[in-house]
Amino acid sequence: MNRVLIKNAKIVNEGTIFEGDVFIEDEYIKEIAEKISPKSSDCVIIDAEGNYLLPGVIDDQVHFREPGLTHKGTIETESRAAVAGGVTSFIEQPNTVPNAITQELLEQKYDIASKTSYANYSFMMGATNDNLDEVLKTNPKNVAGIKMFLGSSTGNMLVDDPETIEKIFSSTKMLIAVHCEDEATIKANLELAKAEFGDDIPMEQHPVIRSAEACYISSSKAIELAKNTGARLHVFHVSTAKELELFDNKKAMEEKQITAEVCVHHLWFNSEDYKTKGAYIKWNPAVKDESDRKALWAALLDDRIDVIATDHAPHTIEEKANSYLNCPSGGPLVQHALVAMFEKFMQGKISVEKIVEKMAHNPAKIFKIEKRGFIKEGYFADLVIVNTHMPWNVKKENILSKCGWSPFEDINFKSRISYTFVNGNLVYSNSKVKDLRVGKRLTFDRA
């Protein structure tokens, strides 16, 4: 029997921080109290004095590239990086090769993860212009939701038929997550850029081509349709100030039919950073202006935005070295997302309680994940200990994603992940990932 006693931790849960102990037995949190004595001689004791104990991060949007794109990353390599970053559960997207657009292809991904994943996992069912029958077969109890690309990105899964979009919105009660960028606007902007620059388009043109207007047109249409059909909509990676007028904080998060996510890169970088980071901050949607970044922070803190995620999407260094037109969008973030947010805490930008709300509690609530996302007795022991007094520098040699680079390279973080538990198993400690592929399939509390 696995027994671990975490002592003297600053336990962060549901808007409070209190010093206490947590006892883990097998997969679960067995007891939480001010003081707990060891239950047996075989109990492992971890003294977390001065450190924060958090529920593990639930990253609701990652691209782990398996199957079909495994030269960029695999479920094994990227989940290994995830647990090193305090991410204990992830929801992966369907634009792998082949796309996860049938129930059979979707289950193949679950089968791979069951053998190789260090973290808990779920995979989104992909919607296309012609697979409604397959979409409607999706089991709400063991699949996170339906993913629709309303703007093109890696994998060519664009859904642009208005009739199909309306049918999917009106036919399923499952959560629908959307990538919102208007394709016609992007194409028109790209032609203007080609006319001005030819094939040598500067990377700084990315937020001009994939503009704020492109995002707003698409997201406003999706939200209007969700309101008209009653669909449960979750808008991924909101990136512009203009879109924020589409979301409100008038209801408690649990009562919202339309929720929103922001990604770490849109909170950290702005368009000036293309000068130094170039392709390494090329994402879809694009990193935009400083005014957008500031507005995203305001919306995050006043609860118009509900979730912080990564959109972890690795590409090789060789692929990122291509010119603008041939350079893929996306980058690796799971290993550094939580410490990046702690850096903002250290700067006084956000509280630890709010970080936990946006990276653990709210993803669990939005997707109705069973027994995860909180530090509660009877819940799975997915836990992270963060030390805010151990500075470190991101270098190639300590990057665990298969692609071997990070947009945070050479940045000094003041905090680091000391320990990560997945289902009660200590999978990461002393800067080492243990060879424990103990991730489980996430289940959902849905009718």
Side-chain angles (χ1 to χ4, degrees):
M1 184 172 284
N2 177 48
R3 294 186 180 92
V4 178
L5 178 58
I6 301 170
K7 294 193 67 65
N8 307 312
K10 292 191 282 189
I11 301 167
V12 189
N13 193 63
E14 296 185 286
T16 64
I17 300 176
F18 59 98
E19 191 167 305
D21 301 349
V22 173
F23 177 57
I24 300 168
E25 190 169 79
D26 287 340
E27 297 178 336
Y28 300 101
I29 298 169
K30 187 75 170 180
E31 185 181 355
I32 305 165
E34 188 175 338
K35 293 292 179 185
I36 302 173
S37 299
K39 305 297 182 183
S40 62
S41 59
D42 64 347
C43 183
V44 175
I45 299 174
I46 295 174
D47 188 354
E49 186 170 4
N51 297 333
Y52 291 96
L53 178 64
L54 321 177
V57 171
I58 300 172
D59 193 342
D60 78 351
Q61 188 190 182
V62 304
H63 303 264
F64 280 0
R65 304 306 194 196
E66 189 173 13
L69 300 167
T70 53
H71 66 287
K72 302 175 191 280
T74 67
I75 292 169
E76 180 177 5
T77 62
E78 306 315 288
S79 67
R80 188 169 177 267
V83 297
V87 176
T88 57
S89 298
F90 63 84
I91 297 173
E92 210 260 358
Q93 304 309 300
N95 53 333
T96 41
V97 180
N99 300 150
I101 56 175
T102 70
Q103 296 300 318
E104 181 181 4
L105 291 169
L106 183 64
E107 285 303 317
Q108 287 176 10
K109 293 175 75 169
Y110 280 105
D111 185 58
I112 295 167
S114 71
K115 299 178 177 70
T116 63
S117 186
Y118 289 83
N120 305 309
Y121 51 88
S122 191
F123 297 92
M124 300 285 273
M125 175 64 183
T128 70
N129 282 325
D130 53 12
N131 76 333
L132 180 61
D133 288 346
E134 285 292 317
V135 167
L136 295 180
K137 294 176 187 176
T138 307
N139 185 347
K141 293 282 194 181
N142 64 9
V143 176
I146 310 300
K147 174 67 178 287
M148 297 179 71
F149 288 89
L150 304 182
S152 62
S153 194
T154 303
N156 193 30
M157 287 189 65
L158 178 66
V159 184
D160 58 359
D161 177 43
E163 185 177 343
T164 297
I165 296 169
E166 195 281 332
K167 280 183 179 178
I168 293 171
F169 272 58
S170 59
S171 298
T172 181
K173 292 182 179 179
M174 287 192 71
L175 179 146
I176 300 169
V178 286
H179 174 132
C180 289
E181 291 183 285
D182 182 64
E183 194 68 12
T185 302
I186 293 169
K187 286 182 177 177
N189 291 340
L190 181 59
E191 290 308 310
L192 290 173
K194 286 180 178 178
E196 182 175 355
F197 300 103
D199 290 338
D200 192 23
I201 297 174
M203 206 61 67
E204 292 92 326
Q205 286 293 303
H206 193 53
V208 179
I209 294 166
R210 302 188 82 101
S211 63
E213 188 66 19
C215 295
Y216 181 81
I217 290 169
S218 182
S219 54
S220 59
K221 285 180 181 177
I223 288 168
E224 181 182 11
L225 184 57
K227 289 178 177 177
N228 290 339
T229 59
R232 174 65 183 89
L233 183 68
H234 186 49
V235 182
F236 276 159
H237 43 45
V238 176
S239 63
T240 74
K242 190 171 184 179
E243 289 172 284
L244 298 173
E245 68 187 51
L246 302 170
F247 306 99
D248 64 56
N249 55 8
K250 295 173 185 175
K251 294 181 180 179
M253 207 284 305
E254 298 90 330
E255 298 172 1
K256 292 184 181 182
Q257 274 292 102
I258 298 168
T259 49
E261 170 213 275
V262 66
C263 290
V264 171
H265 46 281
H266 292 125
L267 294 171
W268 189 278
F269 301 104
N270 67 32
S271 55
E272 289 297 309
D273 293 309
Y274 288 104
K275 294 173 184 175
T276 55
K277 295 287 184 180
Y280 291 124
I281 62 163
K282 186 189 182 202
W283 276 277
N284 299 337
V287 169
K288 297 184 175 68
D289 294 340
E290 176 63 10
S291 58
D292 294 297
R293 193 180 76 91
K294 286 181 176 178
L296 291 170
W297 269 107
L300 177 72
L301 295 174
D302 72 15
D303 298 333
R304 283 171 289 162
I305 291 179
D306 306 287
V307 171
I308 301 169
T310 69
D311 194 15
H312 175 95
H315 298 283
T316 66
I317 292 172
E318 291 76 17
E319 289 167 333
K320 279 291 188 179
N322 287 321
S323 63
Y324 176 81
L325 290 171
N326 297 303
C327 171
S329 296
L333 280 173
V334 287
Q335 188 178 350
H336 305 118
L338 182 55
V339 290
M341 294 311 299
F342 259 80
E343 198 69 14
K344 296 301 181 183
F345 157 64
M346 304 287 275
Q347 295 168 7
K349 189 77 175 176
I350 188 172
S351 68
V352 177
E353 298 96 316
K354 187 65 79 171
I355 292 171
V356 168
E357 176 189 320
K358 303 296 185 178
M359 299 186 82
H361 296 343
N362 283 359
K365 291 178 181 179
I366 285 172
F367 288 90
K368 299 185 177 180
I369 302 170
E370 291 184 324
K371 293 187 175 181
R372 302 189 191 274
F374 295 84
I375 301 179
K376 291 183 179 180
E377 292 177 0
Y379 272 53
F380 287 101
D382 297 337
L383 300 169
V384 180
I385 297 175
V386 180
N387 186 327
T388 56
H389 307 286
M390 289 186 72
W392 65 293
N393 184 262
V394 179
K395 296 289 186 186
K396 285 196 184 298
E397 52 265 29
N398 57 36
I399 293 169
L400 297 184
S401 288
K402 186 175 182 179
C403 65
W405 64 273
S406 167
F408 290 114
E409 211 164 319
D410 295 324
I411 287 178
N412 291 299
F413 287 122
K414 296 181 182 69
S415 304
R416 73 170 71 200
I417 310 303
S418 297
Y419 301 90
T420 303
F421 293 86
V422 176
N423 301 312
N425 297 278
L426 182 58
V427 295
Y428 178 80
S429 65
N430 299 317
S431 301
K432 301 288 185 184
V433 180
K434 299 189 177 184
D435 191 22
L436 295 170
R437 296 165 182 81
V438 293
K440 290 180 173 289
R441 183 171 183 162
L442 297 177
T443 57
F444 305 90
D445 185 16
R446 300 168 178 157

